[in-house]
Amino acid sequence: QFLTQILPVLVEKLQYRDDYAWPAPSDAAAGDTDGSLDEDDDEAMFSELRHSLRVFIDAIGQIAPELYDSVVLATAQDIFRQCSQYGVSAERAGDEGGRGRGQLGWVRAELGIYLTQAFGERLSSSKGLRFGGTRFAQPNGAGSGKLAIATLKDLLTMMIQSGIVGSSHPAIAPMYFENLVRFGGYFEVERDAAAPVLQSFLGATGVHHQYRSVRPRIWYFLHRFVKLLPAPALATYSSDFVSAVAGLLKISADPSSIGVGSSYGLFDSQLCLFEACGMVLAPPNLEDSTRMALLQYLFDPLFTGAQHTMNAQPPDQLLQDQRALLQIHHYLTAIGSIVKGFPDVRADKAASASAPEQLSASTMQVFLKAADMCVAILEALCTSHLVREAARFTLSRMLSVLGAEALPYLPRLIDSLVSSCAVEELLDLLGLLGLAVFKFKPYVAPTASELLLP
């Protein structure tokens, strides 16, 4: 009797207050170089309260699983049904006609998404999630005799079909997309759901969210979502995907990020988009003409930007310009991230003198052109730590994807790195050499001799 009375109260306390004040989109983005919302005291206290309440609620789920399902699961289901019927508001906190009636307010919309996450986490912590399995052990009950996995699958389906992500409130989309990535096995059995979810990712409440402060998290979740999908399926979305994110790929160096750990602010999140673009262009079933057109669309601004920055001033002056060096670093790293989206050459083909099977001749030429530019910039600016870091990253990705075709660049790369690298960079350099020796044993001997012998 006591648990029956207290559990609904605990669930109620999980939601935001109706008068909770979120910043306006313009305020949330002001001075936010890393794209994250500043957690004020109220937000920190609420997060701590939620954590404490979850401990009690999950404990009740272990003691009385049927009660847990009748409250937690049923509350989430009711919220999604209400959203499907009446829609959801981004501005109004409470429901239009009072709790549970009329258009859904953002407070209960966020609660429904949060409870979905809580329900899934309880299942995964108990037995682990195996969406593709034909059998799944039921952890102390889960949904009126249903298999636990089927219950969560149905709940995720309700969440997607409710259209709840249509709300532009900043509390909705990040957790919504996090749920889809966290329980990504759902798409192994519900493959038709991938298309509408990807459409939501690429829409106004996804990567283009009006709150710039939540965009980086959504970009990260999009990157993880693309990795979940089978490569042949990605070819269908390649053109639409690149077109949708192209406006977010403009690189603008922020010198204030230099020296702040290993982070480069918003650019780190942009790299998720660059790599995701590479992944959607990699499927072998994509028409090569389409792939080439999209690769040129992505690479041309990076090539042009790097060349323009290099030609703007002599190398000795350029080495004194931190903004220009950081811009070049970003261009090279973005190129490497696109290449990173392509699969590594197969182990049994890595040392082959012929081109890797997964790359067409035209794709190979684009990558080799990028490698040429990368090495040339490194040779001109090898005393810059930023340029060395970017070149090492990009050329290591070229080695993994191009196979033996990239070996001719290795001596020039290592000569430039060794001549100027700091002591702490040697570990990364040795790792790169180890990768080359491991993958290209039959062909690396001449290169090693050139590097090591006088």
Side-chain angles (χ1 to χ4, degrees), residues 140-152:
N140 299 328
S144 303
K146 285 186 176 181
L147 292 174
I149 198 64
T151 306
L152 178 59

Side-chain angles (χ1 to χ4, degrees), residues 234-235 238-239 242 276-284 286 290-292 294-296 298 338 341-342 363:
L234 290 175
S238 296
S239 297
V242 173
C277 286
M279 286 189 282
V280 300
L281 297 183
L286 179 65
T290 301
R291 181 186 295 107
M292 282 305 301
L294 295 174
L295 275 176
Q296 294 290 351
L298 292 171
I338 294 173
F342 284 72
T363 304

Side-chain angles (χ1 to χ4, degrees), residues 165-168 173 177 199-211 214-215 218:
V165 74
S167 171
S168 60
F177 291 123
Q199 185 177 3
S200 297
F201 261 116
L202 300 178
T205 58
V207 294
H208 298 284
H209 204 288
Q210 66 173 345
Y211 278 78
V214 304
R215 286 184 184 180
I218 296 174

Side-chain angles (χ1 to χ4, degrees), residues 82-83 85-87 92 95-105:
Q82 183 182 349
C83 184
Q85 187 171 0
Y86 299 106
R92 191 180 56 256
D95 294 352
E96 183 179 32
R99 179 181 173 84
R101 296 191 297 274
Q103 189 183 49
L104 189 66

Side-chain angles (χ1 to χ4, degrees), residues 26-270:
S26 57
D27 297 334
D32 209 6
T33 56
D34 65 351
S36 61
L37 279 171
D38 293 329
E39 281 197 349
D40 57 15
D41 291 341
D42 287 345
E43 181 69 16
M45 291 175 62
F46 178 69
S47 297
E48 182 64 27
L49 173 64
R50 258 191 172 175
H51 175 74
S52 300
L53 292 172
R54 276 284 302 277
V55 173
F56 286 109
I57 292 172
D58 291 344
I60 293 174
Q62 294 296 324
I63 299 170
E66 293 81 7
L67 175 62
Y68 179 94
D69 293 342
S70 68
V71 176
V72 174
L73 182 59
T75 300
Q77 291 170 336
D78 289 344
I79 289 172
F80 296 143
R81 290 191 191 99
Q82 183 182 349
C83 184
S84 296
Q85 187 171 0
Y86 299 106
V88 58
S89 170
E91 293 78 23
R92 191 180 56 256
D95 294 352
E96 183 179 32
R99 179 181 173 84
R101 296 191 297 274
Q103 189 183 49
L104 189 66
W106 72 262
V107 168
R108 293 190 70 240
E110 192 273 347
L111 177 63
I113 298 172
Y114 181 78
L115 292 178
T116 302
Q117 185 176 108
F119 183 78
E121 286 180 345
R122 174 175 168 264
L123 297 184
S124 61
S125 64
S126 175
K127 294 291 184 181
L129 294 178
R130 291 171 46 249
F131 280 89
T134 56
R135 297 177 62 84
F136 186 88
Q138 189 171 319
N140 299 328
S144 303
K146 285 186 176 181
L147 292 174
I149 198 64
T151 306
L152 178 59
K153 180 174 73 71
D154 293 343
L155 189 60
L156 290 169
T157 299
M158 290 184 69
M159 183 183 75
I160 294 170
Q161 294 179 350
S162 70
I164 203 167
V165 74
S167 171
S168 60
H169 194 279
I172 303 298
M175 188 177 296
Y176 173 90
F177 291 123
E178 181 181 359
N179 282 355
L180 297 176
V181 170
R182 180 171 294 192
F183 310 121
Y186 168 83
F187 296 99
E188 296 176 9
V189 293
E190 294 291 338
R191 297 184 179 181
D192 291 341
V197 167
L198 186 59
Q199 185 177 3
S200 297
F201 261 116
L202 300 178
T205 58
V207 294
H208 298 284
H209 204 288
Q210 66 173 345
Y211 278 78
R212 294 178 181 272
S213 52
V214 304
R215 286 184 184 180
R217 286 191 67 200
I218 296 174
W219 296 351
Y220 168 69
F221 292 137
L222 173 61
H223 170 263
R224 288 186 56 188
F225 178 73
V226 171
K227 292 184 76 170
L228 290 173
L229 302 181
L234 290 175
T236 307
Y237 313 116
S238 296
S239 297
D240 291 340
F241 186 97
V242 173
S243 298
V245 304
L248 303 170
L249 301 179
K250 182 179 180 181
I251 293 175
S252 180
D254 176 19
S256 65
S257 65
I258 299 177
V260 184
S262 58
S263 171
Y264 292 103
L266 187 64
F267 177 68
D268 289 341
S269 298
Q270 285 181 297

